[in-house]
Amino acid sequence: MFMQDKCDRVNPEKIETLMQKVPDSENITRMSAVFQALQSDTRLKILFLLRQKEMCVCELEQALEVTQSAVSHGLRTLRQLDLVRVRREGKFTVYYIADEHVRTLIEMCLEHVEEKT
Amino acid sequence: MFMQDKCDRVNPEKIETLMQKVPDSENITRMSAVFQALQSDTRLKILFLLRQKEMCVCELEQALEVTQSAVSHGLRTLRQLDLVRVRREGKFTVYYIADEHVRTLIEMCLEHVEEKT
DNA sequence: TGAACATATGAACAACTGTTCATCTATTAA
DNA sequence: TTAATAGATGAACAGTTGTTCATATGTTCA
């Protein structure tokens, strides 16, 4: 038996069906973490740089004009969510975009904001 | 004349060229705001609900089991960034996904997190 | 009109975030 | 080995966020 609390439009059974098609809590939380990683000017710029070519930390540091620490922290966040990946190259640590999903995410979002005058 | 501060890999001219292809500050900030809106369990669930069918506030309220106030605040955030749009329907306010970019964004992100076992 | 329902919004507080500073580890080249 | 360079990380502080509570606005129907 369902409660029919308030709104006339509410059909509790239908709502339950809709909720079942929402990703489970674990995945919602993961997605939330991904979007949260993308919600930073610095990290976004890092991704738009890496989108063009893989780069080491100090290249990013020079390009972005923030401290090495800030770049490194930003990269860790992106790395932990598998948005970027790393490769050692001698004394350099080279970062690159993890996969096409990431490219699509930032490109889709750019299109969205560019659309508005 | 450019400074060659640190890293051997750094080629200042090349870096300048790369930076020119990064979206300008205004758009980066807008994207940042969009991702920041997507970085919330409640708002993500709202979008995954609206993705299935347009809904009024009280339907969302029932589905999500948070206060009406929280839903309404969440919707405002999404609305301000044109991620959802509104339509009046008698005494109801019906919300729906703004466009395909938004669908793609959340679907792309879901794929990304589902990929990791 | 007024009562009931649907939605919006401001205030406020706890929780979280991004940056810098200081410091530590790892790698290279001499 | 040692000095120099590349990168990582913890602490800490100022700034930001999401929720609830209380209340205001808007719509319908009797």
Side-chain angles (χ1 to χ4, degrees), chain A residues 101 104-105, chain B residues 103-113:
Chain A
H101 290 141
T104 306
L105 275 174
Chain B
R103 284 178 199 280
T104 306
L105 276 172
I106 61 175
E107 280 160 19
M108 208 47 40
C109 189
L110 180 58
E111 278 181 30
H112 184 79
V113 302

Side-chain angles (χ1 to χ4, degrees), chain B residues 17 36 39 59 68 93 98 111:
Chain B
T17 307
Q36 122 89 24
Q39 165 270 338
E59 284 178 297
Q68 178 265 316
T93 308
E111 278 181 30

